[in-house]
């Protein structure tokens, strides 16, 4: 914690006074050298941003606040659910990040005072900052789907934050009898990783086909169009004929409530009693962003796309799933690209330089069976104050590609995971 100011309740008044003074009279030497950057959230966005900041300028004092000592990654967690890999392959610690001179604080941030520029931690201490980067990911909107709350999630898992929930869904599939109905409730956009529910349905089908072939999967969807729709539908026909049925929004697929006592998903057109119910509720920015005042009435954080600066609160930047990224889908790939661009912008602002115009590249891989994947990629730049896809930059795997191509994409997907996790945590 060394140079960073960690304030206890006892010296909080002194800390606030110092922060208030520097707010009124910015200190040029600190601005150019030992500026204090606090990053909240040690996931794909936050951890990558903290590292990038230190690499850009080793004099910056960077603290990373994250309550979990081990991070559990969502990408590839659908393979854990399908029994194709173990949860340990998803888990990463923070030792390498600490070794780079970043102060890793295993606490949750519970309070933010933008005027005093301080972050309150769960243990009652607080931390002063010159600039704050928020990367808290998502929270699930337990108020948005009648019948579904945190307690219900222990029976009808969402598995939309990886960890215990991922294991719970896997166990439920393992104990389900052959012939059971697995139902997935998919929310409307925006949400974390738009194609992931369909990847999940595919991999669950792979598991069921081998172990419980009389079982069926139904996707109850609050959307009409889905990413890479033709590719998913073709793969389902080819690999899992008759196993997966998707009911879109206009076909009455939106789940309007659930009843955990009977494992029932209710739509306007009918009820579905599932043996396993995977309920993915609507989402919003992680709660700490709301506490900071950085969330608007959409539930997400509006930002300036050049600097990732909050449009609502000074000296705060927001990256990853929590921010409104325009055309950029909420993904680990995007969070990583945003993290690096944001680190560059923050370092420029501190040194008084103009931030560069960011160009973010992102690729999303969907694995529908072992050795069978396809991808979607794009590049994005600020346009009309929001991120827009650069014309002609988008690429999607062809619908009629050969199995060799699908195999190659599956290998590339594995390499992508190794690279992004090594870059972020390794
Ligand atoms: P996260 O990675 O979730 O990190 C947020 C961190 O903030 C967490 O560690 C959390 O503990 C911490 N935090 C929250 N509140 C506080 C607080 N108050 N104080 C301190 N810390 C706090 N993306 C891809 O690119 N490719 C994929 O193949 C892919 N597959 C996916 C599959 C599934 C099933 C799911 C659900 C998602 C998938 N994603 C994928 C999406 C990806 O996981 C997210 O987009 C990515 O994790 C977002 O990064 P983030 O930093 O915004 O949030």
């Amino acid at each position: 914690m060394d140079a960073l100011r960690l304030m206890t309740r006892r010296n909080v008044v002194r800390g606030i006074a110092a922060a208030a003074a520097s707010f009124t009279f910015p200190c040029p030497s600190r601005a150019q050298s030992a500026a204090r950057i606090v990053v909240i959230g040690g996931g794909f966005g936050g951890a990558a941003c903290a590292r990038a900041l230190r690499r850009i300028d080793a004099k910056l004092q960077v603290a990373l606040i994250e309550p979990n000592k081990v991070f559990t990654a969502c990408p590839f967690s659908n393979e854990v659910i399908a029994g194709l890999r173990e949860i340990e392959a998803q888990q990463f610690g923070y030792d390498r990040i600490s070794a780079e001179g970043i102060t890793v604080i295993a606490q949750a941030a519970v309070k933010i005072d933008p005027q005093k520029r301080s972050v309150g931690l769960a243990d009652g201490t607080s931390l002063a900052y010159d600039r704050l980067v928020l990367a808290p990911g998502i929270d699930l909107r337990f108020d948005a789907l009648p019948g579904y709350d945190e307690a219900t999630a222990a029976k009808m898992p969402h598995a939309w934050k990886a960890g215990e929930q991922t294991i719970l869904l896997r166990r439920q599939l393992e104990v389900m009898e052959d012939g059971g109905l697995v139902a997935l409730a998919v929310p409307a956009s925006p949400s974390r990783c738009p194609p992931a529910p369909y990847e999940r349905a595919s991999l669950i089908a792979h598991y069921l086909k081998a172990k419980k072939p009389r079982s069926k999967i139904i996707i109850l969807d609050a959307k009409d169009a889905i990413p890479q729709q033709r590719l998913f539908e073709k793969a389902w026909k080819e690999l899992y004929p008759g196993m997966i049925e998707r009911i879109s929004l206009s076909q009455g697929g939106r789940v309007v409530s659930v009843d955990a006592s009977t494992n029932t998903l209710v739509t306007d057109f009918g009820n579905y009693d599932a043996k396993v119910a995977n309920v993915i509720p609507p989402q919003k920015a992680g709660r700490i962003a709301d506490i900071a005042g950085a969330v608007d009435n959409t539930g997400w954080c509006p930002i300036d796309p050049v600097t990732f600066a909050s449009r609502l609160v000074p000296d705060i930047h927001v990256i990853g799933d929590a921010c409104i990224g325009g055309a950029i889908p909420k993904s680990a790939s995007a969070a990583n690209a945003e993290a690096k661009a944001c680190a560059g912008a923050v370092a420029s602002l501190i040194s008084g330089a103009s931030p560069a115009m960011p160009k973010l590249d992102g690729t999303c891989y969907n694995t529908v069976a072992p050795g069978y994947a396809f991808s979607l990629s794009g590049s994005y730049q600020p346009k009309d104050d929001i991120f827009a896809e650069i014309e002609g930059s988008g690429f999607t795997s062809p619908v009629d590609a050969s199995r060799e191509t699908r195999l190659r994409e599956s290998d590339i997907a594995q390499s992508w995971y190794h690279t992004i996790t090594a870059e972020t945590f390794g």
Side-chain angles (χ1 to χ4, degrees):
M1 200 140 314
D2 50 25
L4 275 153
R5 180 184 295 278
L6 181 65
M7 294 183 283
T8 63
R9 278 203 178 102
R10 278 195 307 282
N11 68 12
V12 73
V13 174
R14 193 166 51 107
I16 288 167
S22 66
F23 183 71
T24 321
F25 307 106
C27 162
S29 57
R30 165 168 289 159
Q32 281 161 24
S33 61
R36 300 158 304 179
I37 321 289
V38 174
V39 181
I40 296 182
F44 281 102
C49 187
R51 285 187 115 168
L53 282 161
R54 282 287 294 187
R55 282 173 190 177
I56 292 169
D57 183 352
K59 290 192 292 300
L60 293 173
Q61 300 175 53
V62 183
L64 178 64
I65 302 176
E66 165 62 55
N68 301 304
K69 294 207 165 135
V70 172
F71 177 75
T72 307
C74 282
F76 279 79
S77 64
N78 286 331
E79 297 207 354
V80 178
I81 292 165
L84 294 167
R85 64 200 263 133
E86 297 308 317
I87 195 80
E88 290 73 19
Q90 303 296 116
Q91 295 181 322
F92 304 90
Y94 293 95
D95 290 355
R96 298 293 289 270
I97 295 176
S98 299
E100 287 181 5
I102 293 161
T103 306
V104 179
I105 302 172
Q107 289 284 324
V110 294
K111 211 176 149 205
I112 289 169
D113 187 331
Q115 298 310 315
K116 293 166 182 159
R117 290 190 289 180
S118 87
V119 177
L121 304 180
D123 67 357
T125 56
S126 58
L127 201 61
Y129 63 82
D130 295 306
R131 285 196 177 260
L132 176 64
V133 178
L134 292 178
I138 56 158
D139 264 349
L140 302 159
R141 287 186 53 201
F142 284 115
D143 58 341
L145 186 59
Y148 197 70
D149 57 19
E150 223 161 337
T152 317
K155 181 143 191 278
M156 304 170 110
H158 50 77
W160 221 237
K161 289 188 178 192
E164 278 174 24
Q165 280 273 310
T166 313
I167 299 293
L168 177 63
L169 183 53
R170 173 171 166 168
R171 296 281 174 256
Q172 290 189 351
L173 291 167
E174 283 169 353
V175 298
M176 186 184 84
E177 283 179 11
D178 190 8
L181 177 69
V182 178
L184 279 80
V186 181
S189 301
S191 66
R192 163 173 279 186
C193 202
Y198 316 102
E199 178 188 75
R200 177 173 290 176
S202 312
L203 292 174
I204 291 177
H206 173 77
Y207 168 77
L208 295 176
K209 187 178 167 185
K211 307 272 183 191
K212 304 169 193 205
R214 292 189 294 113
S215 308
K216 294 259 179 300
I217 299 169
I218 189 154
I219 303 171
L220 298 169
D221 209 330
K223 291 198 278 284
D224 272 328
I226 68 169
Q228 302 208 284
Q229 183 153 350
R230 288 177 63 211
L231 285 131
F232 275 113
E233 287 175 352
K234 180 167 184 280
W236 294 344
K237 225 175 175 172
E238 195 178 319
L239 304 173
Y240 314 117
M243 276 190 94
I244 301 176
E245 182 187 359
R246 175 175 171 266
I247 304 185
S248 68
L249 172 67
S250 49
Q251 294 165 325
R254 187 170 71 97
V255 172
V256 294
S257 67
V258 303
D259 183 347
S261 66
T262 50
N263 239 21
T264 304
L265 288 85
V266 178
T267 71
D268 283 335
F269 295 90
N271 294 357
Y272 299 85
D273 296 333
K275 286 288 178 251
V276 173
N278 172 207
V279 178
I280 306 165
Q283 295 137 47
K284 60 183 179 183
R287 176 150 165 68
I288 192 68
D290 199 12
I291 291 171
V295 168
D296 71 10
N297 59 10
T298 63
W300 305 97
C301 304
I303 51 156
D304 168 354
V306 177
T307 59
F308 298 85
S310 164
R311 290 198 186 279
L312 303 178
V313 202
D315 307 316
I316 292 184
H317 302 251
V318 190
I319 56 171
D321 286 356
C323 76
I324 299 176
I328 308 176
K330 296 186 187 299
S331 67
S333 184
N336 180 276
E338 290 165 12
K340 291 170 187 162
C342 177
V346 166
S348 296
L349 290 169
I350 285 166
S351 67
S354 295
M357 179 69 87
K359 175 175 167 285
L360 309 183
D361 302 315
T363 303
C364 197
Y365 297 93
N366 293 303
T367 302
V368 291
Y372 191 127
F374 40 80
S375 64
L376 183 65
S377 56
S379 299
Y380 307 87
Q381 263 189 328
K383 190 178 172 200
D384 302 330
D385 258 2
I386 193 104
F387 275 107
E389 190 169 10
I390 299 171
E391 230 180 280
S393 72
F395 170 83
T396 174
S397 309
V399 177
D400 54 3
S402 65
R403 285 301 281 270
E404 286 71 37
T405 304
R406 304 283 188 240
L407 176 61
R408 204 164 46 245
E409 290 230 64
S410 162
D411 292 342
I412 298 171
Q414 302 273 352
S415 311
W416 169 83
Y417 182 77
H418 288 301
T419 305
I420 196 168
T421 54
E423 233 185 48
T424 311
F425 304 101

